[in-house]
Amino acid sequence: MTLMLITGPAEEPVTLAEARAHLRLDAGGEDALLGALVTAARTALEAETRRAFVTQSWRLLLDDWPAKPIRLPLAPVQSVTAVTVATMSGAMVPLDPAFYEVDAKGEPPRVAAKRGQAWPMPATRLAGIAVDFTAGYGAPSAVPAPLKQAVLLLAAHWFENREPLGNGVELPLTVSALVARYRRLHL
């Protein structure tokens, strides 16, 4: 199973102005660094929670169909845009959306063939199945406040502590507490 980002978010959940205000910075001399830290904080927290914060497009590649419904590794899922299967020519052919059903609101979000249907076998042995989906809460304004605050705090922490601290793995406790209820458990 391989997960690939197709289209990243158009905006960050926290604006540069919000990050500057949080750090009490007046000048824009550090805007490039601060913008990079906000992006890094978002991606780190998305990985930590297994959630997409702002709308983005992803592709899940599979070698074979699982016996149970396909579990999408990110939430919240807005839609499944395509399920494609490799043919003998190597082309990826989309399946008719009427063939499968999507539980986008489930935990985890899932895709399954409808009752009485069987998934077609891919012609290739590796990465012959692709599930394209759109994930995220929507626009930056739709991102839950605790997640936005966690992005701000983590970016500020990295801004103030530019050298690695400790083992470099653990999140600051306040950030960890803010994202705790949003973490998706591995099943």
Side-chain angles (χ1 to χ4, degrees):
M1 178 170 79
T2 302
L3 185 63
M4 298 171 30
L5 177 65
I6 303 301
T7 306
E11 304 174 74
E12 293 298 336
V14 172
T15 66
L16 201 52
E18 290 169 323
R20 228 186 283 119
H22 180 78
L23 284 162
R24 297 185 181 125
L25 294 175
D26 293 329
E30 304 244 35
D31 281 359
L33 171 64
L34 193 52
L37 292 174
V38 165
T39 299
R42 175 193 46 86
T43 58
L45 294 173
E46 285 177 335
E48 179 72 17
T49 60
R50 295 177 48 224
R51 293 184 180 279
F53 293 179
V54 180
T55 299
Q56 44 200 276
S57 300
W58 290 86
R59 176 170 292 145
L60 176 64
L61 295 173
L62 303 167
D63 296 336
D64 205 356
W65 299 106
K68 295 183 178 183
I70 300 165
R71 295 173 183 228
L72 299 177
L74 292 174
V77 168
Q78 296 174 15
S79 65
V80 170
T81 54
V83 176
T84 56
V85 181
T87 63
M88 292 303 276
S89 68
M92 296 296 280
V93 175
L95 298 178
D96 183 346
F99 178 82
Y100 56 88
E101 55 191 347
V102 178
D103 177 15
K105 302 295 182 211
E107 192 56 46
R110 300 168 298 160
V111 179
K114 288 190 176 175
R115 290 203 186 277
Q117 301 288 346
W119 293 114
M121 292 307 293
T124 61
R125 199 166 164 201
L126 301 174
I129 302 162
V131 180
D132 292 353
F133 62 100
T134 303
Y137 289 99
S141 60
V143 177
L147 295 176
K148 286 178 146 185
Q149 187 64 30
V151 169
L152 273 175
L153 289 172
L154 188 55
H157 173 75
W158 289 339
F159 185 85
E160 295 295 335
N161 301 286
R162 297 188 187 193
E163 296 297 320
L165 300 173
N167 62 11
V169 175
E170 293 182 18
L171 292 174
L173 289 176
T174 306
V175 173
S176 188
L178 283 168
V179 300
R181 70 180 288 245
Y182 294 95
R183 280 188 180 96
R184 294 181 59 229
L185 301 175
H186 293 276
L187 299 175

